[in-house]
Amino acid sequence: MTAGLALIGAALALVPSAQAEDGYDLWLRHAPLEGEALERLRIFAPRVEVELYRGDETPTLAIAARELDLGLAKLGGGTVASASGAGSAIALECGSDPAGAGEYTVRSNAKGIAIGGPGQLSCLYGAYALLRELSQGADPRSLDIVSAPAMPLRMLNHWDNPDGHVERGYSGRSIFDWWHLPERLDQRMIDYARANASIGINAVAVNNVNATAYVLEPRYIEKLARLADAWRPYGIRVFLSARFSAPRELGGLETADPLDPAVRAWWADKADEIYAAIPDFGGFLVKANSEGQPGPQDYGRTHAEGANMLAEALRERGTVIWRAFVYSEHDETDRAKQAYAEFIPLDGAFADNVIVQVKNGPIDFQPREPFHPMFGAMPDTRLMLEAQITKEYLGFASHLAYLAPMWEEVLDADTGHGATVAQVVAPVGMAGVANTGSDRNWSGSDFDQANWYAFGRLAWDPSLSSEQIAREWAAQTFSRDPAFVDAVVPMMLASRQAVVDYMTPLGLAHLMGTGHHYGPAPWVCELERPEWNPCYYHRADADGIGFDRTPSGSDALSQYAPSVAAHWSDPEAIDPAYLLWFHRVGWNHPMRSGRSLWAELVARYDSGVGEVDRMAQTWRGLAHYVDPQRHRAVSANLAIQQSEARWWRDGSLSYWQSVNGLELPAGTRPAAESLDHYRSLSFPEAPGN
Ligand code: BDP
């Protein structure tokens, strides 16, 4: 098979000199090693050797080799790699199996290091893994890594509109410059693909689930084809969010009824047209009959009938990803119950190339929700997990909230149906709502890059711990100095719980400002749709607070497996983190801590605020390890978070007091402003709306 051996990497002198650190390089900085680690790399003197396979295109291998050359040169301070034949070889020995999922080995041997695997992507992923290890200071002489993706589909969902606005985007405008495509391909599109490939992300839905029909027009297919061509060597397939009513809007048909032959023919033709331009097009992502989007129910058809019609159009070439995020204002039942109620009867009814994409919790990406009861309850349906990387409900881009612990909590949850959530979705995949934007640092803040990184790493291997991921990210992104990593990682690990505590402690949810979702607004009770009101969720009055989801209330508990429901049904026994999600209790309800519920609630708010103060203090002490530009940027965000955490606490407590008439426990800091003040605040221009 082997036709030749090529040495790539003669031009190492071209490594760019150190630039101002603006975060653009993400975790791929490969900052020069120092001390012993540098010495080891110098002695090792790696050069990259690529085996070229007869008749095969090798753009992926060429990228792998280039990444290694660049990365090694940067790690070695620009001087280490040798193209002269001396030193150790890094051999890229990957097969050409197109079905290879990207599994790889990275092994040190007598000659150097061999990166191998069945397909070309093995070498790309292996190259990134090697750089990840070396960037953390690993010894190149003793590597023995075997890795394979746990899930086939590791996907980003962009809520980017073609006009450049990003729904729930807090990092500038969209990274996609549709207007100038296909002629102009921004370098950012390549750097984006690199970043994704380096963490194993292999699929991207490029446009908002609240989709416009015109992205299905020929001019957009041409634009998308250009992106698909650029990303293919990085192992990334493109998907489009499709508007269900497109046959009417674009095709001039009178209906979008999925059982109408003309509608079916329209979609089949559309799919053929796309595949003619993009032979490996991934498929359609669909939000239907949710929040006003069109869907099959407009014609009295089911989700399965709608999804299967699109699946038939795609045939074996692609996949329909049908979202389970549905709720209706015409449904009087608890919103948390609606998706389960609509989808469970359809188990087994979806075509083989349909995936149902389920948010981590039953309501909507809140700072903490119990896992979605659909996981494990649809054994004959392919279910995929949807997480939100952009922090719509966790402080936008300015609050430091490391989300891996939240996803870990969901993935590790035992569904009670004989599998954890991770085991349920492993045969299918995970999607994350992207947090990228046109900001130089991509994510709106340096620490939000960690969430993009962690999402990819967890989708590749959900058994990785949040801590390990934080350690590798921090070392690559800021400083591999153990003193830095040891200080910053605990701060990251505590950060999500801090947000839960100062925003929605003890199982509260959905208390944010209307529309833009910025800041606290538990007082909003009068919106037209009941389930848009924070009052609908907290149900606070003079007697108590919380949503009764036991049999005496909405009985959402019964949607969980009996073992799980039993565990959560007792307000005394339930983990307090979920107490007010499932139970309505009196303000004096005794908590395990020995405090009353009210005192506990106040303590949680204070603990959240206190944690943010500690984070700011920790970060102040780390200036020595971080370049001034990024250190300042993070400090500024932490200052915002400190003041907004207080705002959440004070606004919320003032409101609860107006309802329960209780004093704050002795020694507690009173709110800085009056409730009227908090209620009067208005932010029509908040980003991402
Ligand atoms: C909600 C967002 C909204 C999205 C919706 C969805 O506020 O912008 O369109 O989720 O997931 O959380 O469809």
Side-chain angles (χ1 to χ4, degrees):
M1 270 297 270
T2 306
L5 196 67
L7 288 185
I8 299 186
L12 292 175
L14 295 181
V15 173
S17 58
Q19 292 170 354
E21 296 260 2
D22 55 12
Y24 187 82
D25 291 340
L26 298 161
W27 47 88
L28 297 170
R29 287 164 67 243
H30 308 312
L33 293 166
E34 287 164 345
E36 233 179 274
L38 178 61
E39 210 37 49
R40 276 200 302 258
L41 192 68
R42 287 227 161 103
I43 295 168
F44 192 72
R47 68 180 195 285
V48 183
E49 292 184 354
V50 184
E51 304 224 13
L52 300 176
Y53 285 85
R54 183 164 40 92
D56 276 331
E57 301 262 326
T58 60
T60 300
L61 282 189
I63 291 169
R66 199 167 58 233
E67 289 289 355
L68 284 171
D69 275 338
L70 266 174
L72 289 166
K74 284 167 127 189
L75 286 167
T79 56
V80 52
S82 143
S84 67
S88 310
I90 297 183
L92 293 173
E93 303 170 342
C94 289
S96 52
D97 179 358
E103 56 271 47
Y104 61 82
T105 54
V106 179
R107 290 205 169 103
S108 307
N109 57 33
K111 286 194 291 181
I113 294 172
I115 301 179
Q120 310 262 299
L121 278 175
S122 304
C123 271
L124 186 63
Y125 291 146
Y128 286 122
L130 172 58
L131 290 171
R132 176 159 62 235
E133 291 303 315
L134 295 179
S135 282
Q136 293 173 74
D139 186 338
R141 293 161 308 184
S142 56
L143 295 167
D144 186 11
I145 309 170
V146 181
S147 190
M151 310 186 186
L153 202 51
R154 307 174 298 276
M155 182 177 204
L156 289 185
N157 289 178
H158 285 269
W159 287 358
D160 297 32
N161 294 330
D163 68 2
H165 176 78
V166 183
E167 182 159 334
R168 312 311 174 185
Y170 311 107
S171 48
R173 307 273 298 166
S174 173
I175 55 172
F176 303 118
D177 182 9
W178 294 108
W179 190 250
H180 292 111
L181 279 165
E183 291 84 1
R184 195 201 285 176
L185 183 83
D186 198 282
Q187 175 61 28
R188 221 177 231 262
M189 293 295 93
I190 303 300
D191 295 336
Y192 167 78
R194 289 181 66 212
N196 279 338
S198 75
I199 50 176
I201 286 169
N202 67 353
V204 171
V206 294
N207 61 315
N208 194 352
V209 289
N210 296 320
T212 55
Y214 65 75
V215 297
L216 294 163
E217 285 178 1
R219 64 195 174 105
Y220 268 86
I221 296 172
E222 221 186 311
K223 293 168 192 285
L224 189 65
R226 181 82 204 272
L227 282 184
D229 289 344
W231 292 348
R232 190 168 297 114
Y234 291 89
I236 296 170
R237 287 178 82 177
V238 297
F239 285 69
L240 273 179
S241 293
R243 187 167 165 84
F244 199 79
S245 53
R248 299 177 54 196
E249 287 148 27
L250 296 185
L253 301 184
E254 292 203 332
T255 175
D257 181 349
L259 299 193
D260 184 290
V263 170
R264 299 177 86 88
W266 188 87
W267 282 109
D269 289 348
K270 184 51 71 182
D272 289 347
E273 185 187 337
I274 297 174
Y275 280 101
I278 310 170
D280 56 355
F281 176 63
F284 297 127
L285 171 64
V286 187
K287 171 175 178 175
N289 294 120
S290 169
E291 298 187 324
Q293 294 299 313
Q297 293 175 346
D298 304 348
Y299 307 95
R301 314 297 183 195
T302 67
H303 288 294
E305 285 168 321
N308 293 348
M309 180 271 296
L310 292 175
E312 188 182 274
L314 294 173
R315 303 202 305 274
E316 67 291 342
R317 301 169 296 189
T319 305
V320 175
I321 301 180
W322 195 267
R323 298 179 78 233
F325 176 71
V326 296
Y327 64 97
S328 156
E329 74 270 37
H330 306 300
D331 192 331
E332 292 288 288
T333 50
D334 178 1
R335 173 175 163 189
K337 292 176 69 178
Q338 292 186 22
Y340 181 101
E342 277 188 44
F343 278 84
I344 294 298
L346 299 174
D347 188 27
F350 290 96
D352 288 347
N353 58 335
V354 174
I355 291 171
V356 175
Q357 181 169 288
V358 184
K359 287 190 180 181
N360 57 271
I363 290 185
D364 188 6
F365 297 141
Q366 294 302 299
R368 175 171 278 125
E369 296 188 31
F371 70 88
H372 202 300
M374 281 173 67
F375 291 116
M378 296 186 76
D380 296 320
T381 305
R382 297 167 70 206
L383 295 188
M384 174 169 176
L385 171 66
E386 179 175 344
Q388 195 184 45
I389 307 173
T390 187
K391 303 201 317 296
E392 173 181 0
Y393 301 102
L394 288 103
F396 293 7
S398 42
H399 294 212
L400 196 165
Y402 172 55
L403 300 181
M406 165 154 117
W407 301 329
E408 195 177 31
E409 190 172 290
V410 175
L411 287 164
D412 290 350
D414 182 353
T415 63
H417 297 285
T420 62
V421 172
Q423 286 164 336
V424 170
V425 301
V428 186
M430 246 168 98
V433 180
N435 67 351
T436 52
S438 59
D439 282 4
R440 257 320 267 180
N441 65 19
W442 296 88
S443 304
S445 77
D446 293 288
F447 271 91
D448 274 305
Q449 298 175 356
N451 293 326
W452 181 6
Y453 182 87
F455 172 79
R457 297 287 287 139
L458 276 174
W460 181 277
D461 182 0
S463 75
L464 290 174
S465 72
S466 311
E467 177 175 357
Q468 181 184 335
I469 297 171
R471 294 191 81 84
E472 44 180 69
W473 175 81
Q476 295 171 89
T477 304
F478 286 118
S479 163
R480 62 178 77 84
D481 191 310
F484 172 82
V485 175
D486 288 346
V488 91
V489 167
M491 159 179 139
M492 290 171 73
L493 292 176
S495 60
R496 179 271 189 147
Q497 181 61 42
V499 176
V500 171
D501 283 339
Y502 63 72
M503 287 188 182
T504 51
L506 298 178
L508 291 171
H510 213 288
L511 304 183
M512 65 288 161
T514 304
H516 48 65
H517 299 170
Y518 175 64
W523 42 82
V524 172
C525 303
E526 306 297 337
L527 301 175
E528 190 191 334
R529 288 179 61 156
E531 77 292 339
W532 280 352
N533 290 291
C535 289
Y536 170 93
Y537 296 93
H538 63 65
R539 308 197 167 205
D541 63 17
D543 298 329
I545 181 170
F547 199 124
D548 182 2
R549 293 192 164 101
T550 70
S552 59
S554 80
D555 201 21
L557 256 182
S558 67
Q559 294 183 337
Y560 289 92
S563 59
V564 175
H567 188 68
W568 283 336
S569 63
D570 178 359
E572 311 299 328
I574 193 171
D575 178 344
Y578 299 118
L579 176 66
L580 302 178
W581 183 281
F582 287 111
H583 298 278
R584 181 180 157 71
V585 296
W587 294 103
N588 287 323
H589 175 81
M591 300 292 289
R592 261 184 260 162
S593 62
R595 301 184 182 109
S596 68
L597 173 81
W598 172 235
E600 181 72 25
L601 205 54
V602 175
R604 294 294 172 122
Y605 282 112
D606 281 331
S607 148
V609 170
E611 187 58 45
V612 180
D613 289 345
R614 268 192 298 284
M615 281 159 47
Q617 197 187 1
T618 303
W619 187 252
R620 264 197 299 281
L622 297 174
H624 169 63
Y625 301 97
V626 181
D627 46 284
Q629 190 172 342
R630 288 188 302 160
H631 190 270
R632 253 197 320 274
V634 172
S635 299
N637 280 334
L638 284 165
I640 294 173
Q641 188 174 6
Q642 283 180 286
S643 94
E644 292 186 356
R646 284 172 169 71
W647 168 34
W648 266 95
R649 172 211 182 265
D650 290 5
S652 306
L653 284 178
S654 309
Y655 175 71
W656 305 136
Q657 285 188 280
S658 77
V659 171
N660 65 16
L662 295 170
E663 294 294 325
L664 290 172
T668 308
R669 176 179 67 77
E673 306 282 349
S674 69
L675 176 59
D676 285 346
H677 165 79
Y678 297 116
R679 294 183 69 135
S680 73
L681 302 175
S682 155
F683 307 93
E685 80 289 17
N689 199 359

